C-alpha cells in the first residue's frame, strides 16, 4: 500500500534511482574498483553530468580516497553478474509499516507485472525463492487476485532449491506448493521444479538444460544483452548474512560465470546440498523483487543500501537485473 510505505530517502538519500549511462554494453573481467585505463572505458566528458550526480547520490560512483581516482562501483557490480555495462536497473526501495502492508503491495506488484508480461509475451515467467518469502505471497490466493490473475499463463521456477526429495520439509518446492501453488489454478505442467532424484551436480545441470530448452521455446524470454534466459520476475528473499538464492558471502559460487545453474554441497545454512541460479542468470532477468522482513536482516539491509564499497561482494548487493530492482522491506528490516 503506497500510503503506508515510505521511501528510503530519509535514511540513505537513496530512494528511487532511475539510472542510466552511456557505458559500452560489454562485459569485462571483474575485480577492481578503480578501473585501469582501458580502450572501452567511456571518456568522462561523455558521462552525462546529471547521471553522474544521481549515481554519486546512490553511492555507485565517487572518488577513491587513497588513489584519488574516480571509481564506478556500478561497473564492478555489473561485471560481477556479467550484466551490461551502464545498464543499471531502476531501483526502488519501499519500507512498509507492517509485513501485512508489504504483502498487500507485493501482491499488487506481482499481479501488475503478470498482466504486463502476459499482454506483451502471452506468458509470465516467475521465479520463487524459499524461506519466509512464500508466506508474504499469501495475498495472491485471496480476492481480487485469485480470480483476476491469468494463472494458466504462469510458468514457475525456483532460484534455488535444497537437494532433498520434494515432499521433504526442507524442500523449497514443498513450501511453495503447500502455501501457494496448490491454492491457485496454475497448470502443474507449468511448475518447473528440480528433478529431486538426482545428485546436486546433476540436478543443477538438468535444470539449466531445461531452462535453456524453455528459452528456446520462448516460454522464457532471452536477454538481447547477455543472450541468457531472461525471466520476467525473480522474487528473492535474503538471509541475515546477506545471502540470496543459495549464493552465500565468501562462497566461490558467487563468482561463477560459466554456469547458469550451479550446485553447492557445503551450504553454511542447512541443508548443505543445494542448487542455485548464478549471478549471470539472475542479473539477466527483467525484474527482481527483494522481499525482506524482520529485525534479523536489518544489518545486511543497511550494508546493502549504504555506500560502503566493502559491501560490493555481499551477495544481495550483487543483484542487478536488466530493468527494475524493487526492495520490499518492513520497518523492522529497514531500521
Ligand atoms: O536457504 C534459503 O534462504 C533464503 C532466505 O530465507 P529466509 O527464510 O531468511 O527468508 C531464501 O531466500 C532461499 O531461497 C533459501 O533456500
Amino acid at each position: 500500500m503506497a500510503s503506508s510505505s515510505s521511501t528510503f530517502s530519509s535514511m540513505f538519500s537513496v530512494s528511487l534511482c532511475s539510472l542510466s549511462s552511456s557505458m559500452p554494453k560489454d562485459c569485462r573481467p571483474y575485480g577492481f574498483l578503480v578501473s585501469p585505463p582501458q580502450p572501452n572505458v567511456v571518456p568522462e566528458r561523455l558521462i552525462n553530468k546529471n547521471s553522474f550526480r544521481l549515481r554519486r547520490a546512490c553511492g555507485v560512483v565517487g572518488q577513491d580516497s587513497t588513489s584519488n581516482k574516480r571509481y564506478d562501483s556500478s561497473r564492478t557490480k555489473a561485471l560481477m553478474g556479467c550484466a551490461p555495462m551502464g545498464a543499471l536497473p531502476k531501483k526502488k526501495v519501499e519500507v512498509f509499516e507492517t509485513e501485512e502492508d508489504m504483502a498487500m503491495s507485493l501482491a499488487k506488484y506481482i499481479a501488475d507485472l503478470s498482466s504486463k508480461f502476459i499482454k506483451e509475451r502471452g506468458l509470465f515467467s516467475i521465479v520463487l525463492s524459499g524461506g519466509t518469502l512464500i508466506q508474504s505471497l499469501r495475498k495472491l490466493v485471496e480476492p481480487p487476485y485469485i480470480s483476476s490473475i491469468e494463472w494458466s499463463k504462469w510458468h514457475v521456477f525456483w532460484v534455488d532449491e535444497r537437494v532433498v526429495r520434494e515432499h521433504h520439509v526442507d524442500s523449497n518446492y514443498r513450501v511453495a506448493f503447500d502455501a501457494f501453488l496448490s491454492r491457485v489454478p496454475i497448470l502443474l505442467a507449468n511448475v518447473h521444479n528440480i528433478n529431486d532424484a538426482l545428485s546436486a551436480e546433476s540436478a543443477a545441470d538438468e535444470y539449466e538444460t531445461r531452462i535453456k530448452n524453455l528459452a528456446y521455446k520462448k516460454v522464457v524470454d532471452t536477454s538481447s544483452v547477455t543472450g541468457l534466459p531472461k525471466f520476467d520476475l525473480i522474487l528473492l528473499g535474503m538471509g541475515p548474512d546477506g545471502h540470496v538464492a543459495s549464493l552465500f558471502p565468501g562462497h566461490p559460487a558467487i563468482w561463477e560465470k560459466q554456469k547458469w545453474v550451479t550446485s553447492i554441497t557445503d551450504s553454511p545454512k542447512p541443508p548443505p546440498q543445494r542448487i542455485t541460479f548464478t549471478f549471470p542468470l539472475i542479473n539477466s532477468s527483467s525484474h527482481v523483487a527483494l522481499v525482506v522482513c524482520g529485525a534479523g536482516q536489518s544489518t545486511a539491509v543497511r550494508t546493502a543500501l549504504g555506500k560502503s564499497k566493502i559491501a560490493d561482494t555481499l551477495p544481495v548487493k550483487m543483484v542487478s537485473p536488466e530493468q527494475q530492482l524493487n526492495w520490499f522491506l518492513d520497518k523492522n528490516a529497514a531500521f
Side-chain angles (χ1 to χ4, degrees), residues 129-133 160 162 172 237-239 243 245-246 269 274 297:
S129 296
T132 49
L133 166 88
D160 74 323
R162 291 88 177 272
N172 285 343
M238 183 197 77
H243 84 267
S246 285
K269 176 179 174 183
R274 290 153 175 255
Q297 334 289 71

